[in-house]
Amino acid sequence: MSKPVLTVLIPVFNESRNIEAVAEAVFRVWQGIQDYAPEIIFVDDGSRDATWLEISKAVSARPEAIRGIRFTRNFGKEAAIEAGLREATGEAIVMIDGDLQHPPELIPEFIATWKAGYEVVRAANENPPHKGAFKKLTSSLFYRFLNFVSDTPIEPGSSDFCLISRTVADKLNSLSEREKFHRILTKWTGYKTAVIPYTARDRHAGATVYTTRKLFALARIAVISSSTIPMTAIFVAGVALSAIGILLVLGLLIYKFFVDFEYIGGSIILGAFIILDNGLLLLALGVMSLYQMAMYRTIQNRPTYLVSERI
Ligand code: UDP
Ligand code: MG
């Protein structure tokens, strides 16, 4: 009887110098894994270098264990993960970066933890060595903001380095929302999760392909897909500003007509009206954003619940 399969999903973009090394590293680790057959899936996210050529070579060398998918162009890592999850046939899926920053040596521990009953095993980077002070600061500020507004908080510095069970992968595959941020969605599924600490290594070759623009796009998806607080904030600001405006206008008018007509000039009342007017406009926007929020949630079409067991 053939062994059950365990998928190793590797999204790659311009990683030609790392393909062979990462495949070799996974196979080296696999010498110590007896119970599962590896299924390595490289998703070439529209690389412009020789990445696909390297993947083809790796597949010809071990056609039984390696597969490749090539995108027509660069659609982004999240899209590559989504594609890989749909292709994966394993009983569990391990996701690792193609630059060897995520040590494959952790895979046996992933498997052991999964076997012990955890549906999600996440590796948390203790000490991101590849990051400069600026990147560290912006990343920690971003995670703070995200966790403040998001309905699904995630650990700062969390990466995509993880194992998910077939059950979790199926749930993720069944989600119809278009802008997926897998780190958050995996957490959102709510399955029992274990966290293994590790220290990320330096890149094997090449440089990070995450430009500021790409990071910004990711940040936008992370916030928008998991939070409606920015929209609610418009509504709240509208209510608050309208209330302040009404109080100011009424207070000033009452003071003018009942206490001291000369003291309150026309311009100060005009100023109060402007505040009230801005408040009313914001309120109108806020009411619309409440409806937009409802529409967004409907279009996003996330299930309202997931069932883990029935008896
Ligand atoms: N990646 C990808 N598509 C992209 C950007 C990155 O598939 O548009 C892959 C990349 O090849 C690597 C992983 O995602 O395997 C992480 O990228 P990178 O190492 O550049 O990010 P960092 O480690 O700096 O966060
Ligand atoms: Mg990297």
Side-chain angles (χ1 to χ4, degrees):
M1 233 187 73
S2 58
K3 288 182 192 173
V5 171
L6 200 122
T7 304
V8 178
L9 165 55
I10 315 177
V12 284
F13 175 58
N14 292 348
E15 304 279 13
S16 58
R17 284 151 67 209
N18 295 325
I19 301 294
E20 195 187 336
V22 74
E24 279 318 307
V26 171
F27 282 117
R28 221 173 303 129
V29 168
W30 226 275
Q31 288 170 354
I33 301 174
Q34 307 303 334
D35 305 342
Y36 294 92
E39 171 191 61
I40 299 182
I41 302 182
F42 282 108
V43 183
D44 180 356
D45 181 15
S47 296
R48 292 183 272 268
D49 65 357
T51 297
W52 184 247
L53 184 70
E54 289 299 321
I55 294 175
S56 329
K57 280 192 212 157
V59 172
S60 335
R62 305 197 195 232
E64 73 296 342
I66 306 186
R67 293 201 283 144
I69 305 168
R70 185 185 199 179
F71 283 178
T72 50
R73 63 166 175 87
N74 182 237
F75 284 95
K77 188 183 178 187
E78 297 296 323
I81 293 177
E82 184 172 355
L85 284 180
R86 290 193 198 285
E87 294 284 326
T89 64
E91 303 205 336
I93 294 105
V94 173
M95 290 181 221
I96 62 174
D97 279 359
D99 55 6
L100 282 168
Q101 284 194 286
H102 299 160
E105 290 72 29
L106 234 59
I107 294 177
E109 201 178 338
F110 275 166
I111 297 176
T113 317
W114 163 52
K115 287 273 121 192
Y118 292 90
E119 303 270 357
V120 177
V121 188
R122 180 162 286 295
N125 192 358
E126 297 268 83
N127 171 38
H130 61 295
K131 285 185 177 173
F134 180 72
K135 209 178 168 190
K136 261 188 191 156
L137 179 74
T138 46
S139 142
S140 104
L141 283 179
F142 170 68
Y143 273 109
R144 251 184 237 178
F145 173 71
L146 180 64
N147 286 341
F148 176 67
V149 298
S150 167
D151 2 315
T152 316
I154 52 176
E155 302 81 31
S158 67
S159 69
D160 293 310
F161 190 21
C162 67
L163 173 149
I164 61 176
S165 69
R166 166 57 37 200
T167 315
V168 177
D170 286 343
K171 301 281 187 206
L172 290 178
N173 288 342
S174 75
L175 298 179
S176 63
E177 65 191 87
R178 287 177 51 89
E179 299 200 308
K180 290 187 176 171
F181 196 72
H182 287 86
R183 254 166 272 179
I184 295 181
L185 284 175
T186 310
K187 180 85 185 278
W188 171 84
T189 60
Y191 282 95
K192 202 174 164 199
T193 301
V195 178
I196 303 179
Y198 82 105
T199 305
R201 298 206 198 109
D202 285 332
R203 244 178 181 277
H204 178 254
T208 176
V209 289
Y210 272 106
T211 55
T212 313
R213 208 174 107 203
K214 271 192 173 169
L215 282 177
F216 195 81
L218 262 189
R220 182 185 61 78
I221 294 174
V223 173
I224 302 284
S225 71
S226 68
S227 171
T228 46
I229 285 185
M231 273 190 162
T232 320
I234 301 177
F235 180 74
V236 172
V239 171
L241 206 59
S242 300
I244 292 171
I246 284 178
L247 288 179
L248 270 179
V249 169
L250 284 181
L252 289 172
L253 285 179
I254 288 169
Y255 195 88
K256 185 173 177 72
F257 287 106
F258 294 101
V259 184
D260 185 348
F261 191 84
E262 295 300 317
Y263 187 67
I264 303 293
S267 56
I268 194 167
I269 291 181
L270 187 66
F273 263 112
I274 291 176
I275 292 177
L276 174 61
D277 189 47
N278 282 334
L280 290 176
L281 283 176
L282 257 190
L283 189 65
L285 270 181
V287 170
M288 285 199 268
S289 72
L290 291 184
Y291 282 88
Q292 273 177 359
M293 226 158 79
M295 281 192 270
Y296 178 74
R297 287 291 181 228
T298 307
I299 294 167
Q300 190 183 36
N301 201 19
R302 252 188 222 179
T304 41
Y305 58 86
L306 296 177
V307 175
S308 65
E309 285 175 69
R310 268 180 241 272
I311 47 171

